[in-house]
Structure formats: C-alpha cells, structure tokens
Amino acid sequence: MRSQSQSPTRVLGIDPGLTRMGMGVVEGSIGRPLSLVDVNVIRTTSALPVWERLVTIERGVEAWIDEHRPDAVAIERMFARSDVSTIMGTAQAAGVAMVVAARRGIPVAMHTPSEVKAAVSGNGRADKAQVGLMVTRILRLDAMPKPADAADALALAITHIWRGGAQNRLEAAVAAQALKAGTR
Amino acid sequence: MRSQSQSPTRVLGIDPGLTRMGMGVVEGSIGRPLSLVDVNVIRTTSALPVWERLVTIERGVEAWIDEHRPDAVAIERMFARSDVSTIMGTAQAAGVAMVVAARRGIPVAMHTPSEVKAAVSGNGRADKAQVGLMVTRILRLDAMPKPADAADALALAITHIWRGGAQNRLEAAVAAQALKAGTR
C-alpha cells in the first residue's frame, strides 16, 4: 500500500449502458483526499440500430481516455436483472468499453454494485441517493452529480482507488498461472 | 429483388460467443447456387479476463473482414437463455463484432435462431444436426462444417442472402425517419 499512497492514481469509472453510459474520472491515492477530474454521460438514442449506438459509445470512451489518460478503467460487473434485453445492451456497452481500454494496454477491473456501495457508504445495500450523497462528500463537490449514472461512475472510480487494485492483481496472477499450466 | 439476383452478395455470418465464435462467409444471390468462401471459429480461453478475450475477438473479426471484404455482416439475434453469464459473454462478443463492422460502414443485420432455422430447413424448430445437414447441402460441401458454431455462422450468412436484406432496409428507413422527427 505504501507506494500507492505516494503516487496518485487516475481512474476512469464506467457505469455501462446503451442509453446512458456514465463516465467519471477520479484522481488520488489511499489515505488522501480524492479529487474529481471530470464526469460525463454518453447518450445514444434507441431510434438507431444497436451497432451505431455502440460505435458512438466506442468513440466517446476513446475520446475520454485520450483526454484524461487514466491509469486504470473500472467497470461495473453486472449480475442477473429482470429484463434480458437491458442486460444485453448493458453487456454490449460494457464490452465495447473494455475493448477500448484493453487494446491500449490500460488495466481493466470490475466491481459489483454491492462492492461499490460498501466502499463509498459502508453499506453494501445503500440506495442510489446514499451513494450519490457519499460521492458528493468524498469528492467535496458543491452538488450531487446527475444523472445517477454519473454519480455511479464516480463511485466506481473511488472504489477502485480505495481497493488498491488488489483484486485485479490477483486475477492477473491466476490468469498467468492458468496459462503456464497449459489451460489455454 | 431483380438487381439482387443479378449481382452476387458476399455475407459474413457470425454466431457470437466468448469461448467459440463461428464466422462463415458465403457468396451468391437469390435464386442461384450459393458458395462457401471460408469458415472459421475464433476460440478464447476462460483463463483470461473477459477484456483480453474481447480484444482477441475484435482482432479476429477485423482480420476476417479485411481478408474477405463482405458486403454485409449477419449476426445472431439473441433472446433469453437459462444462464445469465452466458448471455452477457455472448452479448459482449456480438457487440464487439457489430462495432468492427459498423465503424467500417459495413451494413449489419440480425436474424433470430428461428428465422435462420426456417430459412435453411423450412422448419423454425429444426435442431443443430438438421441445420448442419442443410448447410452442407446448400453449399454442396463434402462434409458438415464443425463445430456447430461454424455451421450456424454459415446458416446465418445463407439466411441473410435469401432474405435479401429487406428487414435491414426497413430498419434503416425507420431509424432515418426517427432522426428526421428529432427523436435523437
């Protein structure tokens, strides 16, 4: 943890979605105040075919990464939801964001909604309003970021910095071991 | 339909998947014998993180499109399945394939499994073996393409040529109309 508390990390948090995709950049290190770099929401219309919406999302994420040059990208890990078509659109938007980061060699990490809620509010079952309020306090903002997708993206970035990327290093080690063992 | 039966179309069919992604290129026109151009399966290992697998898929689709220069890309339209994690991986792989095609300006179309089964076998509830057999006959192949993902990708390409892209033109017209009406 020592080296991480010395050099600040810049993290792009992404709350994936086809209609609204929240992107929030936070900079800082464990044990020091974090700061908001920028926050945005990419919107695409359901009047267009999915592939054109995904191209808009790809360009938006690319432009954002080029502008802010994050050290890592943290994306929400999805689980079962009620509506399958929503899951698919969200998964596609997340997949496109992952590819944009991975092909530039930027480390990608995923955090579940409950990990994010627990990290920012101490309660894995916190509601949207509580998460938004804590993001506002942690980043010392004048107003709560809106829409909720923007606040959620910032919460993901905060979570990633505070978790210190430990989970990610573990996953990388497991993958490397599996490759060595000839699983591939 | 007249102009389409005169100039042959080359279609890349894609059966999306994170572990195995079938890609089949078929050339021909309505009312004439179709021919197999090439068929392949991109495989990625679950030992790697999703984003690295998606980058492999992106590169595979790009290389395939560069080599075969299809006039259109036909992708399987997914519906609810039992396992949510499978849906997400499949949706992500499909999303990446869509983006690769759409950003090069290649028309994308989606066909449901039952549309594909009905088109190649006359029965929307045909099983994998029947689809494989019909693909083998339609393309006059010596053996059934394997694995099933390869045969399914070819079936998608055949379906797209036989349906004449009518559905796609309809969707494009609806999208254009919606944009004009200022929905975006």
Side-chain angles (χ1 to χ4, degrees):
Chain A
M1 293 294 169
R2 187 108 192 268
S3 67
Q4 284 185 335
S5 69
Q6 288 172 336
S7 59
T9 307
R10 180 174 280 206
V11 175
L12 166 58
I14 293 183
D15 182 25
L18 208 47
T19 304
R20 285 187 309 278
M21 175 127 145
M23 298 194 297
V25 183
V26 174
E27 194 173 76
S29 47
I30 298 168
R32 300 210 178 184
L34 304 182
S35 58
L36 169 74
V37 177
D38 209 346
V39 63
N40 193 17
V41 174
I42 302 175
R43 292 168 198 270
T44 75
T45 168
S46 60
L48 289 175
V50 174
W51 43 94
E52 294 189 16
R53 303 173 76 181
L54 292 173
V55 169
T56 300
I57 287 170
E58 180 182 50
R59 286 182 186 151
V61 176
E62 277 178 342
W64 203 248
I65 286 180
D66 285 345
E67 187 176 344
H68 295 298
R69 309 206 164 271
D71 301 306
V73 173
I75 304 180
E76 187 179 301
R77 186 189 294 275
M78 291 155 297
F79 285 109
R81 290 188 204 174
S82 50
D83 182 4
V84 173
S85 73
T86 305
I87 295 179
M88 290 197 294
T90 306
Q92 287 168 340
V96 166
M98 283 179 204
V99 164
V100 170
R103 71 182 173 219
R104 283 159 202 241
I106 302 171
V108 179
M110 305 199 81
H111 304 287
T112 65
S114 57
E115 284 168 352
V116 172
K117 289 170 184 174
V120 303
S121 78
N123 171 12
R125 294 179 172 190
D127 61 20
K128 290 261 174 207
Q130 285 173 300
V131 169
L133 189 65
M134 287 309 299
V135 165
T136 311
R137 285 190 191 161
I138 291 163
L139 300 177
R140 291 151 292 136
L141 307 176
D142 294 329
M144 197 182 294
K146 288 190 180 165
D149 315 79
D152 286 348
L154 291 169
L156 269 156
I158 293 167
T159 300
H160 188 72
I161 293 174
W162 282 353
R163 286 173 71 101
Q167 187 197 0
N168 219 26
R169 287 194 299 274
L170 181 67
E171 282 180 5
V174 169
Q177 198 60 40
L179 282 178
K180 248 191 227 167
T183 313
R184 190 174 191 173
Chain B
M1 292 293 170
R2 186 107 191 270
S3 68
Q4 283 184 337
S5 68
Q6 287 173 335
S7 59
T9 307
R10 180 174 280 206
V11 175
L12 166 58
I14 294 183
D15 182 26
L18 208 47
T19 304
R20 284 186 310 277
M21 174 127 143
M23 298 194 298
V25 183
V26 174
E27 194 173 76
S29 48
I30 298 168
R32 299 209 178 184
L34 304 182
S35 59
L36 169 74
V37 176
D38 209 345
V39 63
N40 193 18
V41 174
I42 303 175
R43 292 166 198 273
T44 75
T45 169
S46 60
L48 289 175
V50 174
W51 44 94
E52 295 191 15
R53 302 173 76 182
L54 292 174
V55 170
T56 300
I57 287 169
E58 180 181 49
R59 287 181 186 153
V61 176
E62 277 178 341
W64 204 248
I65 285 181
D66 285 346
E67 188 177 341
H68 296 298
R69 310 207 164 272
D71 300 305
V73 173
I75 304 179
E76 188 179 301
R77 186 189 295 276
M78 292 154 297
F79 285 108
R81 290 188 204 176
S82 50
D83 182 5
V84 173
S85 73
T86 304
I87 294 179
M88 290 197 294
T90 305
Q92 288 168 340
V96 166
M98 283 180 205
V99 165
V100 170
R103 73 182 172 219
R104 283 160 201 242
I106 301 171
V108 179
M110 306 199 81
H111 303 288
T112 65
S114 56
E115 283 167 353
V116 172
K117 288 170 183 173
V120 302
S121 79
N123 171 12
R125 295 179 169 188
D127 62 21
K128 290 262 176 206
Q130 286 173 298
V131 169
L133 190 63
M134 287 309 299
V135 165
T136 311
R137 286 189 190 161
I138 291 163
L139 300 177
R140 291 152 293 136
L141 307 176
D142 293 331
M144 198 183 292
K146 288 188 181 169
D149 315 79
D152 287 347
L154 291 170
L156 270 155
I158 293 167
T159 300
H160 188 72
I161 293 174
W162 281 353
R163 287 173 70 101
Q167 188 195 1
N168 220 25
R169 286 194 300 273
L170 182 68
E171 282 179 7
V174 170
Q177 198 58 40
L179 281 176
K180 249 192 228 167
T183 314
R184 191 177 190 172

